[in-house]
Amino acid sequence: MFHSILITGGTDQNRLQTAKDLTQNPLKPDPDVLILAADLSITIKDVRQLEIFLSKKPYQASLKIALITDAAKLTLPAQQALLKTLEEPPAHSQIILLSGHQSLVLPTIISRCHHIRLISSFKLEPDQLKHHQTLFNQICQTSPAGRLNILTTMTVNKTTGLEFCQSQLIMLRRQLLNQPSTTLTLVLRYLAAAITKLQANTNPKLTLENLILSYPKAKILGKIDT
């Protein structure tokens, strides 16, 4: 589990939905969820409120979650104040920051978070959704050697690797709307991590090999609603 996550790119809705997918939480204010949002700015006072909130044990959930809906609105002093909590978060806590542009967030904040970058304009047509559902089930139902053979049929470079991961991510998010599943949520985390690695220029073939070997070992997807 990542204690601190930064989600950038995409639309406001994309970023919020990704946070919900990763946490399996509707992310609405309750005793275990704090949402920091502001029209103009998020101040040191707000960050202190976050620190106090996270220092307390969860009431019902396993984690206390603090969501900052627009990290770009953190004032510079507030971002600096947040650094200590990001470095040493309470064991029962998770901090999620959303921002349309990572350039508006301090590099020191970014370096202390698991960073997920969304592709803004990426969409799938119904036939593409079905293709990636079929491909997902095919990977899940074959042996490790068979999974690697499937990968050899693909042209693997950074661009195609990102397209594959983003397509699988979109398809699984759609699936989760009708089929909530901790297994699928875990795969979404693997996909998000793979996208981060590919964007950091790690070896595309090795990244995708590790990804598909982490997929479940049985068909788990039903018919997708397109």
Short mmCIF file of all heavy atoms in Angstrom, two decimals, residues 92-126:
data_model
loop_
_atom_site.label_atom_id
_atom_site.label_comp_id
_atom_site.label_asym_id
_atom_site.label_seq_id
_atom_site.Cartn_x
_atom_site.Cartn_y
_atom_site.Cartn_z
N HIS A 92 -1.67 4.07 9.80
CA HIS A 92 -3.06 3.82 9.43
C HIS A 92 -3.62 4.93 8.54
O HIS A 92 -4.83 5.18 8.52
CB HIS A 92 -3.92 3.73 10.70
CG HIS A 92 -3.77 4.92 11.60
ND1 HIS A 92 -2.92 4.93 12.67
CD2 HIS A 92 -4.35 6.15 11.56
CE1 HIS A 92 -2.99 6.12 13.27
NE2 HIS A 92 -3.86 6.87 12.61
N SER A 93 -2.75 5.58 7.77
CA SER A 93 -3.20 6.73 7.00
C SER A 93 -2.84 6.62 5.53
O SER A 93 -1.96 5.85 5.13
CB SER A 93 -2.56 8.00 7.56
OG SER A 93 -1.16 8.03 7.24
N GLN A 94 -3.55 7.39 4.71
CA GLN A 94 -3.24 7.51 3.28
C GLN A 94 -3.57 8.93 2.85
O GLN A 94 -4.64 9.45 3.15
CB GLN A 94 -4.03 6.50 2.46
CG GLN A 94 -3.57 6.41 1.00
CD GLN A 94 -4.17 5.20 0.30
OE1 GLN A 94 -5.38 5.01 0.30
NE2 GLN A 94 -3.33 4.39 -0.30
N ILE A 95 -2.63 9.55 2.16
CA ILE A 95 -2.81 10.91 1.66
C ILE A 95 -2.84 10.86 0.14
O ILE A 95 -1.95 10.28 -0.48
CB ILE A 95 -1.67 11.84 2.12
CG1 ILE A 95 -1.55 11.84 3.65
CG2 ILE A 95 -1.89 13.26 1.61
CD1 ILE A 95 -0.33 12.56 4.17
N ILE A 96 -3.87 11.44 -0.46
CA ILE A 96 -4.00 11.45 -1.91
C ILE A 96 -4.09 12.90 -2.37
O ILE A 96 -4.94 13.66 -1.90
CB ILE A 96 -5.24 10.68 -2.37
CG1 ILE A 96 -5.17 9.23 -1.86
CG2 ILE A 96 -5.36 10.70 -3.89
CD1 ILE A 96 -6.41 8.42 -2.16
N LEU A 97 -3.20 13.28 -3.28
CA LEU A 97 -3.19 14.62 -3.84
C LEU A 97 -3.55 14.54 -5.32
O LEU A 97 -3.02 13.70 -6.05
CB LEU A 97 -1.81 15.26 -3.69
CG LEU A 97 -1.26 15.44 -2.28
CD1 LEU A 97 -0.40 14.23 -1.90
CD2 LEU A 97 -0.41 16.70 -2.19
N LEU A 98 -4.43 15.42 -5.76
CA LEU A 98 -4.83 15.49 -7.17
C LEU A 98 -4.38 16.84 -7.73
O LEU A 98 -4.47 17.86 -7.06
CB LEU A 98 -6.35 15.37 -7.31
CG LEU A 98 -7.04 14.22 -6.58
CD1 LEU A 98 -8.54 14.25 -6.86
CD2 LEU A 98 -6.44 12.88 -6.95
N SER A 99 -3.87 16.82 -8.96
CA SER A 99 -3.46 18.06 -9.60
C SER A 99 -3.48 17.90 -11.11
O SER A 99 -3.00 16.89 -11.64
CB SER A 99 -2.05 18.47 -9.14
OG SER A 99 -1.64 19.66 -9.79
N GLY A 100 -4.02 18.89 -11.79
CA GLY A 100 -4.04 18.83 -13.25
C GLY A 100 -2.65 18.92 -13.85
O GLY A 100 -2.39 18.36 -14.92
N HIS A 101 -1.74 19.62 -13.16
CA HIS A 101 -0.39 19.81 -13.69
C HIS A 101 0.63 19.57 -12.58
O HIS A 101 0.60 20.26 -11.55
CB HIS A 101 -0.23 21.23 -14.24
CG HIS A 101 -1.24 21.58 -15.30
ND1 HIS A 101 -1.11 21.16 -16.60
CD2 HIS A 101 -2.40 22.28 -15.22
CE1 HIS A 101 -2.14 21.61 -17.30
NE2 HIS A 101 -2.94 22.28 -16.49
N GLN A 102 1.54 18.65 -12.81
CA GLN A 102 2.53 18.35 -11.79
C GLN A 102 3.51 19.50 -11.60
O GLN A 102 4.13 19.65 -10.53
CB GLN A 102 3.31 17.08 -12.14
CG GLN A 102 4.29 17.21 -13.30
CD GLN A 102 5.07 15.93 -13.53
OE1 GLN A 102 4.51 14.94 -14.02
NE2 GLN A 102 6.33 15.93 -13.18
N SER A 103 3.66 20.36 -12.61
CA SER A 103 4.58 21.48 -12.50
C SER A 103 4.16 22.49 -11.43
O SER A 103 4.96 23.32 -11.00
CB SER A 103 4.70 22.21 -13.85
OG SER A 103 3.45 22.71 -14.28
N LEU A 104 2.90 22.42 -10.99
CA LEU A 104 2.40 23.33 -9.97
C LEU A 104 2.60 22.78 -8.55
O LEU A 104 2.20 23.40 -7.58
CB LEU A 104 0.91 23.62 -10.20
CG LEU A 104 0.57 24.28 -11.54
CD1 LEU A 104 -0.93 24.46 -11.68
CD2 LEU A 104 1.29 25.62 -11.68
N VAL A 105 3.24 21.61 -8.46
CA VAL A 105 3.50 20.98 -7.18
C VAL A 105 5.02 20.93 -6.95
O VAL A 105 5.78 20.66 -7.89
CB VAL A 105 2.92 19.55 -7.13
CG1 VAL A 105 3.14 18.91 -5.77
CG2 VAL A 105 1.44 19.57 -7.47
N LEU A 106 5.45 21.20 -5.74
CA LEU A 106 6.89 21.19 -5.45
C LEU A 106 7.51 19.83 -5.79
O LEU A 106 6.93 18.79 -5.50
CB LEU A 106 7.13 21.48 -3.96
CG LEU A 106 6.96 22.92 -3.47
CD1 LEU A 106 7.16 22.95 -1.96
CD2 LEU A 106 7.95 23.85 -4.16
N PRO A 107 8.71 19.83 -6.40
CA PRO A 107 9.41 18.57 -6.68
C PRO A 107 9.60 17.71 -5.43
O PRO A 107 9.57 16.48 -5.51
CB PRO A 107 10.75 19.03 -7.25
CG PRO A 107 10.47 20.37 -7.83
CD PRO A 107 9.45 20.99 -6.92
N THR A 108 9.78 18.35 -4.28
CA THR A 108 9.95 17.60 -3.04
C THR A 108 8.67 16.88 -2.63
O THR A 108 8.71 15.83 -2.00
CB THR A 108 10.40 18.53 -1.90
OG1 THR A 108 9.62 19.74 -1.93
CG2 THR A 108 11.87 18.88 -2.05
N ILE A 109 7.52 17.45 -2.97
CA ILE A 109 6.23 16.78 -2.75
C ILE A 109 6.13 15.57 -3.68
O ILE A 109 5.80 14.45 -3.25
CB ILE A 109 5.05 17.74 -3.03
CG1 ILE A 109 5.00 18.86 -2.01
CG2 ILE A 109 3.73 16.95 -3.07
CD1 ILE A 109 4.29 18.58 -0.73
N ILE A 110 6.44 15.79 -4.96
CA ILE A 110 6.34 14.71 -5.95
C ILE A 110 7.23 13.54 -5.57
O ILE A 110 6.83 12.37 -5.67
CB ILE A 110 6.73 15.24 -7.35
CG1 ILE A 110 5.74 16.33 -7.79
CG2 ILE A 110 6.75 14.11 -8.38
CD1 ILE A 110 6.13 17.04 -9.07
N SER A 111 8.45 13.83 -5.10
CA SER A 111 9.41 12.76 -4.79
C SER A 111 8.99 11.92 -3.61
O SER A 111 9.48 10.80 -3.44
CB SER A 111 10.79 13.37 -4.52
OG SER A 111 10.78 14.15 -3.32
N ARG A 112 8.08 12.41 -2.79
CA ARG A 112 7.63 11.68 -1.60
C ARG A 112 6.32 10.94 -1.83
O ARG A 112 5.77 10.36 -0.90
CB ARG A 112 7.50 12.64 -0.41
CG ARG A 112 8.87 13.07 0.14
CD ARG A 112 8.76 14.32 0.98
NE ARG A 112 10.03 14.67 1.60
CZ ARG A 112 11.05 15.26 0.96
NH1 ARG A 112 10.93 15.55 -0.33
NH2 ARG A 112 12.17 15.54 1.60
N CYS A 113 5.82 10.98 -3.06
CA CYS A 113 4.55 10.32 -3.37
C CYS A 113 4.74 9.27 -4.46
O CYS A 113 5.65 9.37 -5.29
CB CYS A 113 3.53 11.36 -3.87
SG CYS A 113 3.05 12.61 -2.68
N HIS A 114 3.84 8.29 -4.44
CA HIS A 114 3.71 7.41 -5.60
C HIS A 114 2.95 8.21 -6.64
O HIS A 114 1.81 8.60 -6.43
CB HIS A 114 2.95 6.14 -5.23
CG HIS A 114 2.67 5.25 -6.40
ND1 HIS A 114 3.66 4.63 -7.11
CD2 HIS A 114 1.49 4.91 -6.99
CE1 HIS A 114 3.11 3.93 -8.09
NE2 HIS A 114 1.80 4.09 -8.04
N HIS A 115 3.60 8.48 -7.77
CA HIS A 115 3.05 9.41 -8.76
C HIS A 115 2.38 8.66 -9.90
O HIS A 115 2.99 7.86 -10.58
CB HIS A 115 4.19 10.29 -9.31
CG HIS A 115 3.71 11.41 -10.17
ND1 HIS A 115 4.56 12.26 -10.85
CD2 HIS A 115 2.45 11.85 -10.48
CE1 HIS A 115 3.86 13.14 -11.53
NE2 HIS A 115 2.58 12.91 -11.32
N ILE A 116 1.10 8.95 -10.11
CA ILE A 116 0.33 8.36 -11.22
C ILE A 116 0.00 9.48 -12.20
O ILE A 116 -0.66 10.45 -11.84
CB ILE A 116 -0.96 7.70 -10.71
CG1 ILE A 116 -0.61 6.55 -9.75
CG2 ILE A 116 -1.80 7.18 -11.88
CD1 ILE A 116 -1.82 5.95 -9.08
N ARG A 117 0.46 9.35 -13.43
CA ARG A 117 0.20 10.35 -14.47
C ARG A 117 -0.87 9.81 -15.41
O ARG A 117 -0.71 8.74 -15.99
CB ARG A 117 1.47 10.65 -15.26
CG ARG A 117 2.64 11.17 -14.40
CD ARG A 117 3.89 11.26 -15.25
NE ARG A 117 5.04 11.73 -14.52
CZ ARG A 117 5.86 10.96 -13.80
NH1 ARG A 117 5.63 9.66 -13.73
NH2 ARG A 117 6.89 11.47 -13.17
N LEU A 118 -1.95 10.55 -15.57
CA LEU A 118 -3.04 10.13 -16.44
C LEU A 118 -2.88 10.74 -17.83
O LEU A 118 -2.37 11.86 -17.97
CB LEU A 118 -4.39 10.54 -15.86
CG LEU A 118 -4.72 10.02 -14.46
CD1 LEU A 118 -6.11 10.50 -14.05
CD2 LEU A 118 -4.65 8.51 -14.41
N ILE A 119 -3.30 10.01 -18.84
CA ILE A 119 -3.30 10.51 -20.20
C ILE A 119 -4.63 11.20 -20.45
O ILE A 119 -5.69 10.57 -20.37
CB ILE A 119 -3.07 9.37 -21.21
CG1 ILE A 119 -1.71 8.70 -20.93
CG2 ILE A 119 -3.13 9.87 -22.63
CD1 ILE A 119 -1.46 7.46 -21.76
N SER A 120 -4.58 12.47 -20.78
CA SER A 120 -5.80 13.29 -20.79
C SER A 120 -6.84 12.84 -21.81
O SER A 120 -8.03 12.81 -21.54
CB SER A 120 -5.43 14.76 -21.05
OG SER A 120 -4.58 15.22 -20.03
N SER A 121 -6.41 12.52 -23.02
CA SER A 121 -7.38 12.33 -24.10
C SER A 121 -7.60 10.87 -24.47
O SER A 121 -8.14 10.57 -25.53
CB SER A 121 -6.90 13.09 -25.35
OG SER A 121 -5.64 12.62 -25.76
N PHE A 122 -7.18 9.95 -23.62
CA PHE A 122 -7.23 8.54 -23.98
C PHE A 122 -8.65 8.00 -23.78
O PHE A 122 -9.20 8.07 -22.69
CB PHE A 122 -6.24 7.75 -23.14
CG PHE A 122 -5.81 6.46 -23.77
CD1 PHE A 122 -4.66 6.42 -24.54
CD2 PHE A 122 -6.55 5.31 -23.63
CE1 PHE A 122 -4.25 5.23 -25.13
CE2 PHE A 122 -6.16 4.13 -24.22
CZ PHE A 122 -5.00 4.10 -24.97
N LYS A 123 -9.26 7.47 -24.87
CA LYS A 123 -10.59 6.89 -24.80
C LYS A 123 -10.61 5.57 -25.56
O LYS A 123 -9.79 5.33 -26.43
CB LYS A 123 -11.63 7.85 -25.40
CG LYS A 123 -11.78 9.16 -24.65
CD LYS A 123 -12.84 10.02 -25.29
CE LYS A 123 -13.00 11.33 -24.54
NZ LYS A 123 -14.02 12.21 -25.16
N LEU A 124 -11.59 4.72 -25.23
CA LEU A 124 -11.75 3.45 -25.93
C LEU A 124 -13.15 3.35 -26.51
O LEU A 124 -14.14 3.67 -25.84
CB LEU A 124 -11.52 2.27 -24.96
CG LEU A 124 -10.11 2.04 -24.43
CD1 LEU A 124 -10.10 0.82 -23.51
CD2 LEU A 124 -9.10 1.87 -25.54
N GLU A 125 -13.23 2.87 -27.75
CA GLU A 125 -14.51 2.57 -28.37
C GLU A 125 -15.01 1.23 -27.84
O GLU A 125 -14.23 0.44 -27.29
CB GLU A 125 -14.35 2.53 -29.89
CG GLU A 125 -13.91 3.85 -30.51
CD GLU A 125 -14.90 4.97 -30.25
OE1 GLU A 125 -16.11 4.69 -30.22
OE2 GLU A 125 -14.46 6.12 -30.06
N PRO A 126 -16.33 0.93 -28.00
CA PRO A 126 -16.88 -0.33 -27.49
C PRO A 126 -16.12 -1.57 -27.96
O PRO A 126 -15.89 -2.49 -27.17
CB PRO A 126 -18.31 -0.31 -28.02
CG PRO A 126 -18.66 1.14 -28.08
CD PRO A 126 -17.38 1.82 -28.51
#
